[in-house]
Amino acid sequence: MDVSAIDHVNIRIPTDGVEDAVAFYRDALGFEPENLDRFRDGERTIFSFRLNEDAIIHVRPVDTFSPPDGEGFDHFAIVVDEPIEAVRERLDDAGIEIERDGNPLGATGRAPAVYVRDPFGFLIEIKTSEPAE
């Protein structure tokens, strides 16, 4: 198998959490929703947020949602093409608390990162594309 990238991540949220997802992923982080109108019209069971041309987050609202409990899920990581200070400023402007900072090793090497939680308890690592000094 010759993998080129991760295509998407699927998360489940509570059925009443759609507007919270839009406020967090679109309004605060800047990811454009896809198929949200089709979801709201009952044509689809999921909607998505576009991270870039090659990656999306699928969101499936469910009646039986259970937030991550730290046993089976730790976090997912995204890489952004902006300095960590710009990321911090955007999060601060959006009122999103940074849980911790890091310089984690990942597929692209070590780089500065911050960790935030979405409204449903999912931990997200936002890592810069700039290598750590």
Side-chain angles (χ1 to χ4, degrees):
M1 223 178 301
D2 193 14
V3 176
S4 61
I6 292 178
D7 183 78
H8 65 274
V9 173
N10 277 31
I11 63 171
R12 293 178 180 211
I13 66 170
T15 53
D16 64 354
V18 173
E19 295 312 313
D20 290 335
V22 170
F24 183 82
Y25 288 100
R26 182 193 67 192
D27 300 342
L29 298 184
F31 304 137
E32 284 304 311
E34 292 186 357
N35 294 310
L36 183 57
D37 290 338
R38 292 180 67 201
F39 167 79
R40 287 181 171 149
D41 290 343
E43 295 175 38
R44 296 185 53 100
T45 59
I46 67 170
F47 60 97
S48 306
F49 292 98
R50 176 68 55 182
L51 303 181
N52 63 29
E53 67 182 43
D54 297 321
I56 58 177
I57 298 173
H58 287 310
V59 180
R60 181 179 305 276
V62 296
D63 292 329
T64 57
F65 174 74
S66 295
D69 61 7
E71 295 296 318
F73 175 85
D74 187 67
H75 71 279
F76 63 88
I78 58 175
V79 176
V80 295
D81 288 328
E82 55 190 280
I84 198 67
E85 288 310 316
V87 172
R88 288 176 185 286
E89 186 176 317
R90 179 183 193 108
L91 296 171
D92 186 55
D93 289 348
I96 297 174
E97 178 185 349
I98 295 172
E99 282 197 13
R100 70 178 194 258
D101 298 279
N103 188 25
L105 178 61
T108 58
R110 286 196 183 278
V114 295
Y115 295 79
V116 299
R117 243 176 240 285
D118 80 356
F120 317 105
F122 294 104
L123 186 62
I124 304 165
E125 175 186 323
I126 304 173
K127 181 177 173 179
T128 70
S129 59
E130 299 177 357
E133 298 178 7

